[in-house]
Amino acid sequence: MPGVPEQFEHASDRAEFKRVSHHAGLELYRAHIVAHAFEPHTHEAFGLGAIASGVERFRYAGSDHLAPQDSIVMMNPDELHTGRAETDRGWRYRMIYIDPVVVEEVTGERGWWFKEAVAQDVDTARRLSVQLEQLWQATDRLAFDSLLFDILTAFKRHASTTQTTPTVARQRFDLVIDYMRANLAERISLEQLAQLAGLSPFHFLRSFKAQYHATPQQMLMALRLFDAKCLLARGLPPAQVAAASGLTDQSHLNKAFVRRYGVTPARYQQQMRA
């Protein structure tokens, strides 16, 4: 791909995705990251995983977090986050990205929410690291689903199922996020978004940043790249994906995708096909 190296800047950096054919709302991920720094991105899914070695530093929900070896990581859907190594040797980890509807289907519980992003739980983290790798290798559906149930059961003790009523501010910004998602390929102005929220432009910008710990532009780019990820998984050509997602061109897609997901669009598609 023009403008994008076939490898990370550090020879040890590796990242790999895997699609699960019989669960549309589920994606597996494993990586060893030393030098790469992930720019703000989002998943419309829970991000649940375990740190096998090293230490990760990430920005999430307005705060910096450290996830050391033998800790577990729990991210709620639609939360922007970053990621980089805290130590010279980087960090090795495994994740599962799972839609709330799949969590509900497997556990029978609705409304999971994680208050804490990191939990130091050595025994659980080590067991989850093994189970997440077994999940990656599983070829039998029954074995896969049984492992998935055990993994979610382990995370369940850290989850709350308390439903909270959205604040007026959150409801106001939900309209803005919905508008962004519906107009990813369009040029969107600060004034347009502020009008939707019923605020003056810079009052809106300040309030949005306070709510999401990101600017509207950062949120829009995260939504564009997540949309691109979904379209790539469906097999659309990268050039078509770039246009549909509101990115300048294929080169823009390549660079932005690597910065947020750690792989090129072409490699991501290859991994999804595999």
Side-chain angles (χ1 to χ4, degrees):
M1 289 292 175
V4 178
E6 282 301 308
Q7 297 181 345
F8 284 111
E9 55 191 303
H10 193 288
S12 296
D13 284 357
R14 296 286 187 275
E16 189 177 5
F17 287 90
K18 184 175 183 179
R19 170 187 277 177
V20 180
S21 60
H22 67 290
H23 284 300
L26 196 155
E27 196 170 64
L28 305 180
Y29 179 77
R30 61 186 179 187
H32 177 209
I33 304 298
V34 176
H36 188 73
F38 293 91
E39 292 194 359
H41 61 284
T42 186
H43 307 273
E44 293 181 359
F46 289 104
L48 307 175
I51 308 297
S53 64
V55 183
E56 177 192 13
R57 177 181 289 274
F58 61 98
R59 186 78 175 169
Y60 171 86
S63 301
D64 280 337
H65 301 268
L66 290 177
Q69 179 177 332
D70 295 333
S71 63
I72 62 175
V73 177
M74 300 153 290
M75 295 184 180
N76 295 311
D78 293 324
E79 287 283 357
L80 286 180
H81 56 279
T82 62
R84 64 177 176 83
E86 180 68 7
T87 62
D88 291 341
R89 294 185 178 182
W91 85 104
R92 191 184 303 273
Y93 64 117
R94 297 176 180 86
M95 299 287 292
I96 181 172
Y97 296 105
I98 181 166
D99 287 354
V101 66
V102 180
V103 171
E104 181 180 348
E105 178 185 355
V106 174
T107 67
E109 295 182 343
R110 179 180 299 180
W112 270 30
W113 199 256
F114 294 96
K115 182 179 179 181
E116 303 297 333
V118 180
Q120 190 68 41
D121 189 339
V122 175
D123 291 340
T124 301
R126 290 177 179 176
R127 185 170 65 253
L128 282 169
S129 287
V130 172
Q131 289 175 325
L132 287 167
E133 184 60 26
Q134 289 173 335
L135 202 64
W136 191 284
Q137 303 299 335
T139 56
D140 178 82
R141 287 190 179 188
L142 179 59
F144 185 100
D145 288 340
S146 298
L147 277 167
L148 179 61
F149 178 79
D150 287 343
I151 288 168
L152 291 180
T153 298
F155 281 105
K156 178 180 176 179
R157 61 187 292 247
H158 297 278
S160 167
T161 56
T162 303
Q163 294 284 351
T164 58
T165 303
T167 63
V168 173
R170 184 65 186 236
Q171 290 174 327
R172 172 185 288 161
F173 290 132
D174 282 347
L175 293 174
V176 172
I177 300 297
D178 288 344
Y179 180 83
M180 287 182 177
R181 285 197 175 106
N183 295 276
L184 294 175
E186 305 299 324
R187 290 182 178 271
I188 299 175
S189 69
L190 179 63
E191 288 75 14
Q192 284 175 291
L193 299 178
Q195 186 175 16
L196 283 170
L199 300 172
S200 65
F202 286 99
H203 184 186
F204 163 75
L205 196 155
R206 293 192 301 272
S207 300
F208 190 95
K209 181 70 180 289
Q211 179 72 37
Y212 291 104
H213 314 289
T215 65
Q217 174 61 19
Q218 288 173 318
M219 178 65 78
L220 179 61
M221 281 300 296
L223 294 174
R224 282 173 169 164
L225 266 295
F226 181 78
D227 183 67
K229 186 165 171 276
C230 294
L231 295 176
L232 288 165
R234 287 165 46 191
L236 272 68
Q240 185 178 340
V241 169
S245 301
L247 302 168
T248 307
D249 52 28
Q250 188 172 336
S251 177
H252 186 197
L253 168 65
N254 292 341
K255 294 175 183 177
F257 200 88
V258 168
R259 288 198 296 265
R260 286 162 178 83
Y261 297 114
V263 296
T264 64
R267 281 190 175 178
Y268 178 72
Q269 283 194 316
Q270 290 169 359
Q271 291 167 1
M272 292 299 97
R273 285 196 294 268

